[in-house]
Amino acid sequence: MMWLALLVAVLLWWLMTGLALMSVHQSPRSKQVIFSFSSVTALVTVLAVEGNAAAHTPLATIIGFAMALIIWAWLELSYLMGFITGPVKAPATATLSQWQRFRYALGTTIYHELLVVGVVGLVCVLGAGLPNPTIQNTLAVLWLMRWSTKLNLFLGVRHFNSEWLPAHMTYITSYLRPGKNSWFIFVSTLLAAYCTYILFFLGQVANEPATALSFFLIAWLAALAVLEHVFLMIPMGETVLWRWARTDTREAS
């Protein structure tokens, strides 16, 4: 189960990251079409949460993991395409204090943060008490690791590839501190690595194949998130993994 989970998690992580990267650099018209299609797909997926959570089989577990990634991809696209962001859409100025910079940085994304809370909360309610919690657990891990990444970018990391951002979102880089790792990146990465170990352990001791597969899928996803934290600390040329999705990162007019 562990190696099946590795194959599924890595393949879906690599593919959906590349598709998202490709999507946010399209023309405005193409982005509207992509977002409309992804919105319908995400809505259908949310409506299917209860049915998937009620099925406790290895196949349902893999499908639930993919469903969570579909929902998360829609959430990411809604922000990176500029449809749901926050009231602040201007770069930070040099006169801002640390607290003001944090408040304005939060203002660039607060509407989207509330959307994420609402969607994850809805999924948790729909799947509550059912035997297959893969969807809600996957979304919870993605949500926590996303916040860890955002805090690290704000406090300071050595490496951040701003080319991944679409042109209309480049003002966000003024709130980040690339160039030097803060203490938080080391603490958060070690804590995430320990939590990942716990997930692998729970998978090893699980009595049922579906439960073990669920823990392993989420554990490998957490391991990939830890790897992304390492990418922030140490430049490793990771963009080569998605070269196929970045034939031209300039947005079409």
Side-chain angles (χ1 to χ4, degrees):
M1 287 296 177
M2 179 185 291
W3 304 117
L4 173 61
L6 172 62
L7 177 63
V8 172
V10 171
L11 179 61
L12 289 178
W13 168 76
W14 171 77
L15 179 61
M16 299 194 77
T17 299
L19 290 176
L21 179 61
M22 183 185 297
S23 298
V24 300
H25 288 98
Q26 300 300 312
S27 67
R29 174 59 181 166
S30 295
K31 284 193 287 189
Q32 289 178 355
V33 173
I34 292 170
F35 185 68
S36 297
F37 175 77
S38 65
S39 297
V40 173
T41 304
L43 176 60
V44 172
T45 302
V46 170
L47 294 175
V49 165
E50 188 173 0
N52 178 265
H56 192 50
T57 65
L59 179 59
T61 297
I62 293 175
I63 293 174
F65 183 73
M67 289 169 64
L69 294 183
I70 289 171
I71 295 171
W72 190 257
W74 176 78
L75 289 170
E76 289 293 289
L77 289 178
S78 70
Y79 179 70
L80 291 174
M81 287 184 171
F83 293 110
I84 305 173
T85 56
V88 177
K89 300 181 185 296
T93 62
T95 59
L96 293 177
S97 66
Q98 178 78 342
W99 169 245
Q100 288 174 321
R101 194 170 68 90
F102 176 79
R103 191 157 52 87
Y104 277 78
L106 185 60
T108 65
T109 184
I110 187 62
Y111 299 153
H112 186 258
E113 300 302 335
L114 294 174
L115 173 67
V116 173
V117 171
V119 171
V120 175
L122 174 62
V123 169
C124 289
V125 170
L126 291 173
L130 296 174
N132 180 14
T134 303
I135 299 178
Q136 52 265 49
N137 288 345
T138 301
L139 287 175
V141 168
L142 288 167
W143 183 27
L144 290 172
M145 295 306 293
R146 178 175 177 269
W147 258 106
S148 177
T149 299
K150 284 191 170 185
L151 286 173
N152 276 305
L153 288 171
F154 176 80
L155 294 172
V157 295
R158 183 180 174 189
H159 172 65
F160 174 69
N161 188 359
S162 60
E163 292 181 2
W164 287 37
L165 290 173
H168 66 277
M169 301 292 286
T170 54
Y171 64 89
I172 295 173
T173 59
S174 65
Y175 296 94
L176 312 182
R177 285 186 171 174
K180 183 179 179 181
N181 292 320
S182 74
W183 62 270
F184 187 70
I185 186 68
F186 300 104
V187 173
S188 60
T189 302
L190 288 174
L191 179 60
Y194 176 73
C195 291
T196 301
Y197 163 75
I198 295 297
L199 289 169
F200 276 116
F201 175 77
L202 291 173
Q204 291 281 11
V205 299
N207 294 322
E208 299 177 333
T211 302
L213 181 58
S214 181
F215 277 121
F216 284 141
L217 283 169
I218 298 167
W220 282 118
L221 184 65
L224 291 169
V226 171
L227 179 62
E228 289 178 345
H229 276 52
V230 174
F231 289 158
L232 294 175
M233 289 190 286
I234 307 170
M236 300 177 67
E238 70 280 359
T239 54
V240 71
L241 295 172
W242 296 281
R243 184 174 294 170
W244 57 273
R246 301 175 63 249
T247 53
D248 186 359
T249 56
R250 296 170 297 177
E251 288 183 89
S253 58

